[in-house]
Amino acid sequence: MSFGGQTPTIVVLKEGTDQSQGRGQIISNINACLAVQSTIKSTLGPYGGDLLMVDANGKQTITNDGATVMKLLDIVHPAARILTDIARSQDAEVGDGTTSVVVLAGEILKEIKEHVEQGVSSQTIIKGLRRASAMAVNKIKEIAVNTSEGNQRETLRKLAATAMSSKLIHRNADFFTKMVVDAVLSLDQSDLNEKLIGIKKITGGALQDSLFVNGVAFKKTFSYAGFEQQPKSFSDPSIVCLNVELELKSEKDNAEVRIDQVSEYQAIVDAEWQIIFNKMEALFATGAKVVLSKLPIGDLATQYFADRDIFCAGRVASDDMERVCQATGASIQSTCSDIQPPHLGTCSRFDERQIGGERYNFFEGCPAAKTCTLVLRGGAEQFIAEVERSLHDAIMIVKRAIKNQSIVAGGGACEMEVSAYLHGYADKNIPHKQQAIVKAFAKALEVIPRQLCDNAGFDATDMLNRLRVEHRKGAVWAGVDFVNECVSDNMERFVWEPALVKTNAIQAAVEAACLILSVDETIRNEESQQPQAPQRGLPPGAAQRALRGRGRGMPRR
């Protein structure tokens, strides 16, 4: 129904809602993602720089790990947050290639931005990208080399060294690759749970002072009087692991007793003492020489064990306790009354040692060792934290390589080969609109070798031209040689990466690009501002002006 020949205005969204849509919105989202890409791309490769990030509390982080950078960047643009998600997914699935996946996603969007501006339908672009992604993944699987034959340990060390090449520890790669491969091979090969590799950080000393412990090591726990009288070293001890509190106060706190006569109070006190003594005597009777508990072991129990040449530690962290059980074969007991010999664990050597300014308990030579510990040393806390992140990437790469034994060459070789293949295929076999999209995707893949050259200070244009020529000639593994500043066969130079890193990065980057392209409208609801009465002494409207834009949930202008 019309009123006076005019159609009434219908308000669906409340006042203050920001609504943007259409092609301009897609381009705006692409520009936001390119801003994130420009922040992170300088960290790519062996000569990439590190970022120093300071959070709101002043905590400093120095890193070039893509997942860590994306997590610490406080990105507010909703579309650009998708890049954070793909970096996390790459970190969870593969463990390495987190910077590459963000750089690649940004470059794909940059290459297709021109097509969006020219009015090509988003759905046409998305179909073309998905087709190109599937072809690229198939090509990588086709050219990948299987490593099931030959020296597995040596292959894994080469893969770990490539993962470390862009990290702070690349100068000590030989030292750490052996440590990483030993750590992963010490795990149960059926599930390869990397959480059973304990990493302890102790400031002081040099990187080469880091230790690989084929067993468990953890920091000395909080201790009571009598602890120093306990022995600090055993050979072949029996170990009992508890989830029991050995303190007097626990019995008082857990019961309410009512008495009629004062003389009965002594009987209650005696009963409390008797309960804890019964627990300790039961533990002594098991013949265990090391008693560990997740809960506190008080001063009475500490002194009792010291008198009988038994080592005890209370308040052991649950993850450390789980790794002790895995290594020694012990099982956690929640009572002291019925501990049988099968419940006890053992190791060939137990020691308490001083490392730097800390004292650590070591369980070595464990018969059931399905776990290990890496004790990292270094000068600064930030440096050791970055070493830990670097080792995490290498550990994940080795873990994936054991399960997926196909590898490709790094240094941009794999991307250039796939790019050359897609260009050739698109020219001959894709006649319609999608040809331009596939070729744009092929060009985007070249961002990896180009950025590697830029970060290393090489002439990127010259190097890319040389790479294109080599790949057209059929040199599948021609990549950037950072040592001699030239093009060489990176498979022969042992610059290896698991094929899974490349396939997962391409799939995640294309998925993110398609998601951003499919969004052509953004609706942002802003909470309405409640008007307040003017404050006394202020001119009318001054209170509202002072509060404008500071409502809860409203962005700062």
Side-chain angles (χ1 to χ4, degrees), residues 9 21 36 42 59 65 87 90 99 104 127 157-158 207 214 235 251 269 294 310 378 398 432 480 483 506 535 547:
T9 303
Q21 62 187 119
V36 175
S42 62
K59 183 187 172 190
D65 179 56
Q90 179 82 2
T99 306
L104 188 56
K127 283 178 193 169
R157 285 192 65 176
K158 298 272 191 336
L207 271 179
N214 191 17
S235 292
E251 313 305 340
V269 173
K294 288 185 180 180
I310 297 173
V398 172
H432 44 80
V480 183
V483 178
I506 287 173
Q535 295 177 12
L547 289 166

Side-chain angles (χ1 to χ4, degrees), residues 28-47:
S28 165
N29 289 344
I30 291 174
N31 290 338
C33 294
L34 293 180
V36 175
Q37 185 214 29
S38 67
T39 303
I40 201 173
K41 68 183 181 183
S42 62
T43 68
L44 184 70
Y47 291 96

